[in-house]
Amino acid sequence: AHRSSVHPTFVSYSSTMSVDISQYKVGVIISLEDCGSSRGKALRACKIRIGGTDDSSYDEATDIVTVVTSAPNVRDKSRVVVAPIGTSVQADDGGEPLEIKKVVVGGVTSEGMLCDSKMLGWIGGAKGIAVNLPDSFAVGSPPPSSKPRPNGAIDDEKESEEPAAPLPGLFEKKLSKEEKKKLAAERKAKKKAAKEA
């Protein structure tokens, strides 16, 4: 599992505003339920485990939150990032950060917000699409400070391996038509000599 630093991770949106994402939690969706729609978007109530040791060993009162979302990519068992009650997220318009409060959405009490890449200050990802993390990120831990790559590494981690050698032929001079004909004739002669031997 990935470890987080002890220091808070702040995402700066401008020179005067920042949000502490180290208070956000990695969680796993344990159930989904449709709960109506808002502004033409389907809403889903997600029960998310943000604590406990596994899906069968947790405290319902402290380790489970219900989050209502319109994110189209939420699935059962997805590993997501939750901004729980009491944390702040950056406003869409770039204004003052918004504090997450318990609210009723679609008739269901929502106890947090699923984060997209932009909310976490990551490069890439679309607005309104919930972040999905690999299973290697521990439930209840803070999210990584940058978007994980497909192999599970973090963008800001330095690789200890030597850089890969450049691909052969990538920057080599291309052969002229005459040179290609000469090489083809040489190969043909080699083949003929090997056949006769």
Side-chain angles (χ1 to χ4, degrees), residues 41-93:
K41 292 184 179 182
L43 295 175
R44 290 183 177 170
C46 307
K47 266 192 153 179
I48 305 170
R49 182 174 65 83
I50 58 170
T53 54
D54 59 46
D55 287 344
S56 60
S57 176
Y58 57 83
D59 179 6
E60 182 84 30
T62 58
D63 297 336
I64 303 294
V65 293
T66 300
V67 176
V68 178
T69 184
S70 63
N73 65 324
V74 292
R75 306 278 182 273
D76 196 29
K77 304 295 181 221
S78 291
R79 206 157 286 242
V80 294
V81 176
V82 178
I85 294 170
T87 61
S88 296
V89 295
Q90 188 59 42
D92 285 342
D93 61 7

Side-chain angles (χ1 to χ4, degrees), residues 55 154 172 175:
D55 287 344
I154 307 288
E172 292 176 9
L175 299 175

Side-chain angles (χ1 to χ4, degrees), residues 80-136:
V80 294
V81 176
V82 178
I85 294 170
T87 61
S88 296
V89 295
Q90 188 59 42
D92 285 342
D93 61 7
E96 290 295 314
L98 304 170
E99 185 179 346
I100 301 296
K101 298 177 180 180
K102 189 183 284 193
V103 294
V104 176
V105 181
V108 177
T109 301
S110 185
E111 304 165 309
M113 180 182 278
L114 295 185
C115 297
D116 61 23
S117 291
K118 185 174 179 161
M119 295 166 115
L120 296 170
W122 293 356
I123 295 169
K127 180 179 179 252
I129 302 297
V131 164
N132 281 288
L133 294 173
D135 291 345
S136 58

Side-chain angles (χ1 to χ4, degrees), residues 15-55:
S15 59
T16 58
M17 290 178 270
S18 63
V19 173
D20 180 8
I21 68 166
S22 68
Q23 295 178 8
Y24 298 172
K25 303 278 185 203
V26 172
V28 65
I29 297 174
I30 57 174
S31 71
L32 289 167
E33 192 176 305
D34 290 333
C35 62
S37 64
S38 173
R39 292 184 229 143
K41 292 184 179 182
L43 295 175
R44 290 183 177 170
C46 307
K47 266 192 153 179
I48 305 170
R49 182 174 65 83
I50 58 170
T53 54
D54 59 46
D55 287 344

